[in-house]
Amino acid sequence: MTPLDTAAVDEAVGTVFGDLGVNCTAPLIVLGDRLGLFRTLAGAGPLTSAELADRTGLVERYVREWLRGVAVAGYLDYDAATDRFTLADAYAAVLADDAAPTSLIGVFPGLQALWADLDHVEEFFRTGGGMGWGDHHPALGAAQERFTRPAYLHGLIAEWIPAVDGIVPKLEAGATVADLGCGRGLSSILIAQRWPNARVTGFDPDDAAIAHARSAAAEAGMDGRVSFEVAEAATYPGGGYDLVTFTDSLHDMGDPRGAAAHARAGLAEDGTVLVVEPLAADRFEDDFANPYARIGYAVSTLVCTPSSLAQPGAAALGTMAGEARLRDVLTAAGLTRVRRIAQDSAPLNIILEARP
């Protein structure tokens, strides 16, 4: 038996132990969000545990332990001379402000869903099959909605849609939009808010998601300006759409080629399909340098691949499909003019404009 390389073992222990620390810290991040601790720390300067407890109305002993746990994780600065903790502005932009384009706080609550559904996914490894988004723990959809809001505000609305050739005048004049795989309706509502003359319809096969979307639209005062229907992307009704969007949804579909072909068939003359997908390399070996890849492959294994395998077609593109595979899907569906939209606001996305 070849002796173990102790240096390599030490490195492996360090890597895994570090990941254990990350996973154990995640619930503290969720508590900091739920209890308003990050928001209170943001811009407040150095605070003691007693001062933070007083400002939040929480129990000091718990606040003290939370502060120490989050500080040793590297999220807070600590001054031993004054026993005070500070949330730097850079971290506040990531953890305390949902509207910031750099916000990531919305991801953490979704981890609860990944653990809650793990037994189901384990069984799929043995038997095949899968589960749709609507079958997951409800924390998943809520986390997805919250996480994507900054990207959609600063990317989809401010940059990606306006970059589609000729679309803005159409939207201002009353273009029709189909938002496929709209989930809880965030992207559809944002489009309708930004271009109030547009007629936007969101489609999704999940009844509960569509019910939430309708409620969110009513709460936002969008009745009559955006509508939602339960429908599959390959069979949704209507036609003559000036813009069809797949916002982080094409890879989740069982038959993405069929969905793209149906979108093409339903386009108005000179209509456009816009595809928003996570950043992935065309070759797996190149994803080792991709900052999103670790998250993307984990989510793909636990959520997105099971979603596709639960549907007719079971194409299972996976979250990390890559631009070349996405282009293949679109061109096979008759969307032969495909270009990548250059964008700066969300560098972890691939944005494709496609036309017949």
Side-chain angles (χ1 to χ4, degrees), residues 62-325:
Y62 280 104
V63 170
R64 188 195 328 161
E65 208 69 9
W66 178 87
L67 281 167
R68 291 176 175 180
V70 176
V72 297
Y75 292 124
L76 300 177
D77 296 324
Y78 176 64
D79 183 352
T82 62
D83 196 24
R84 281 180 160 81
F85 300 81
T86 305
L87 180 66
D89 291 343
Y91 275 91
V94 179
L95 299 171
D97 182 4
D98 271 9
T102 50
S103 177
L104 292 174
I105 190 67
V107 179
F108 286 92
L111 300 178
Q112 176 185 2
L114 302 185
W115 280 106
D117 297 327
L118 192 61
D119 289 348
H120 297 299
V121 178
E122 179 183 352
E123 192 60 24
F124 300 149
F125 271 74
R126 297 189 174 94
T127 63
M131 62 194 300
W133 269 80
D135 298 321
H136 282 274
H137 188 286
L140 183 66
Q144 172 74 1
E145 179 183 18
R146 187 178 176 194
F147 166 60
T148 55
R149 180 178 292 276
Y152 288 173
L153 280 171
H154 298 279
L156 180 70
I157 301 304
E159 187 175 349
W160 309 338
I161 290 178
V164 172
D165 188 32
I167 195 60
V168 169
K170 292 181 182 179
L171 290 168
E172 292 173 343
T176 56
V177 180
D179 187 17
L180 306 184
C182 68
R184 290 159 61 95
L186 173 64
S187 49
S188 307
I189 292 170
L190 292 177
I191 293 170
Q193 287 176 327
R194 174 60 183 84
W195 292 284
N197 292 328
R199 293 164 289 165
V200 183
T201 306
F203 298 100
D204 198 277
D206 180 13
D207 291 26
I210 289 297
H212 175 90
R214 289 169 175 162
S215 176
E219 186 176 338
M222 302 296 292
D223 281 343
R225 290 171 53 188
V226 59
S227 60
F228 295 96
E229 296 186 29
V230 176
E232 299 283 348
T235 57
Y236 66 93
Y241 293 105
D242 298 292
L243 179 66
V244 175
T245 59
F246 292 88
T247 48
D248 197 18
S249 62
L250 189 65
H251 67 268
D252 286 301
M253 297 175 181
D255 183 13
R257 182 183 297 181
H262 191 64
R264 178 194 181 282
L267 285 177
E269 185 176 355
D270 200 29
T272 305
V273 172
L274 182 70
V275 175
V276 177
E277 283 287 307
L279 178 68
D282 291 326
R283 303 187 309 165
F284 171 64
E285 56 265 37
D286 294 333
D287 270 327
F288 284 85
N290 179 355
Y292 175 73
R294 186 173 182 180
I295 296 171
Y297 280 108
V299 172
S300 187
T301 304
L302 299 170
V303 181
C304 301
T305 298
S307 172
S308 180
L309 291 176
Q311 302 172 54
L317 282 178
T319 309
M320 306 298 286
E323 183 174 349
R325 292 184 70 194

Side-chain angles (χ1 to χ4, degrees), residues 41 46-54 60 63 67 82-85:
L41 283 163
L47 295 177
T48 65
S49 58
E51 290 167 341
L52 182 58
D54 182 63
E60 186 277 335
V63 170
L67 281 167
T82 62
D83 196 24
R84 281 180 160 81
F85 300 81

